[in-house]
Amino acid sequence: MDIDILYKDDYLLVVDKPEGLPIHMTQGMPHDADYLTKIIGKQLNCSVYNVHRLDAKTSGIVLLALSPEIAHELTLLFEQKKITKTYHAIVRENPGSGTFDNKVKNQGKRGSKNAVTHYKTLQTISTSICYKEFENISLSLVEVTPETGRWHQIRQHFAQGRFDIIGDNNHGDRMLNKIIAEKTGISRLLLHASSLQFEHPITKEVRTYTSELPVSFNQLLHSGLI
């Protein structure tokens, strides 16, 4: 497997991560499992360093460093909220536009942390899906800009509002996910990191990189299968 590299220089690189691939080795993974930094390291024959989170189930843009020093600089930019991340998701019903400013759970820990997620609805389609007390539910394409970077923040926030992200079986609506998968064959998490803007730590240029929506997004929105 080769990863699509959107940009590379002597200090960092920006890649387009496929859905289902972890960024780094995590507890419980087989020792020979594939993950992004391992694959990129072999592809480029060098060491690469992760500087921010992106769930294995989420596709899209990932920023990586080529040295521990640059990794530190980029990590500080994320911590100081000087890097803008934009996502797109397909969610249940129409959330409109607004901001989630609710606490979210920590991964594997007690308690919760403050989290802020801005969003706006770009497109809404009607479906013939009916289940439980719900009839002809709608699906919406939303643009999402997280202000903080908590564990599964976007997924948790939309689930809290009952605008579950399609394909999210951890926090979302499993029954709806099953129905959509049976009708369309789409079973992935429909969350995509579509844009990343940051100031290069060496050149000081402001750079923006984008990734097109995966085929499955357009298939669900335009196929007419539901």
Side-chain angles (χ1 to χ4, degrees):
M1 176 193 300
D2 280 345
I3 303 298
D4 187 12
I5 297 175
L6 304 179
Y7 174 80
K8 179 183 179 299
D9 60 22
D10 293 336
Y11 309 102
L12 54 84
L13 65 154
V14 180
V15 304
D16 199 350
K17 186 186 83 66
E19 180 270 335
L21 182 67
I23 290 184
H24 52 77
M25 174 67 79
T26 58
Q27 188 174 9
M29 287 175 56
H31 73 280
D32 58 348
D34 282 332
Y35 49 92
L36 183 67
T37 52
K38 174 182 176 181
I39 294 172
I40 289 289
K42 290 182 178 179
Q43 191 172 324
L44 300 178
N45 193 30
C46 66
S47 296
V48 293
Y49 303 85
N50 178 44
V51 296
H52 67 112
R53 299 176 181 177
L54 192 65
D55 299 339
K57 295 179 181 179
T58 304
S59 56
I61 292 181
V62 177
L63 177 61
L64 299 167
L66 294 175
S67 72
E69 294 77 18
I70 295 299
H72 175 70
E73 293 296 323
L74 293 174
T75 299
L76 287 178
L77 290 180
F78 277 104
E79 291 176 351
Q80 295 166 0
K81 301 179 182 179
K82 293 182 178 180
I83 294 183
T84 301
K85 298 176 289 181
T86 302
Y87 294 75
H88 285 84
I90 296 181
V91 305
R92 181 179 175 276
E93 301 297 353
N94 182 345
S97 299
T99 298
F100 293 118
D101 189 0
N102 309 321
K103 290 186 176 182
V104 295
K105 296 177 183 178
N106 286 318
Q107 182 180 18
K109 300 177 181 178
R110 294 182 178 180
S112 57
K113 289 186 176 181
N114 294 324
V116 178
T117 303
H118 309 288
Y119 61 91
K120 64 179 178 180
T121 299
L122 303 179
Q123 178 185 353
T124 300
I125 63 168
S126 298
T127 79
S128 59
I129 296 175
C130 302
Y131 66 104
K132 297 181 180 178
E133 71 273 24
F134 308 111
E135 294 185 4
N136 301 322
I137 71 163
S138 299
L139 300 178
S140 295
L141 175 67
V142 295
E143 181 181 280
V144 186
T145 307
E147 190 174 310
T148 49
R150 310 304 186 192
W151 173 73
H152 288 187
Q153 172 179 319
I154 297 172
R155 296 163 66 178
Q156 290 195 63
H157 269 162
F158 278 91
Q160 288 172 3
R162 297 303 296 144
F163 302 111
D164 310 275
I165 296 177
I166 305 305
D168 187 352
N169 287 322
N170 292 94
H171 310 284
D173 188 331
R174 293 186 180 185
M175 177 64 73
L176 178 57
N177 295 338
K178 181 179 179 182
I179 293 170
I180 290 176
E182 289 175 348
K183 287 180 174 290
T184 67
I186 299 170
S187 58
R188 62 155 289 176
L189 174 69
L190 290 173
L191 178 62
H192 182 70
S194 51
S195 176
L196 189 72
Q197 183 179 79
F198 64 97
E199 182 183 273
H200 194 291
I202 302 300
T203 67
K204 303 305 178 183
E205 294 177 276
V206 176
R207 298 177 175 271
T208 302
Y209 297 95
T210 59
S211 169
E212 292 185 359
L213 288 180
V215 172
S216 52
F217 278 66
N218 292 317
Q219 181 185 350
L220 185 57
L221 292 171
H222 303 294
S223 68
L225 294 175
I226 53 177

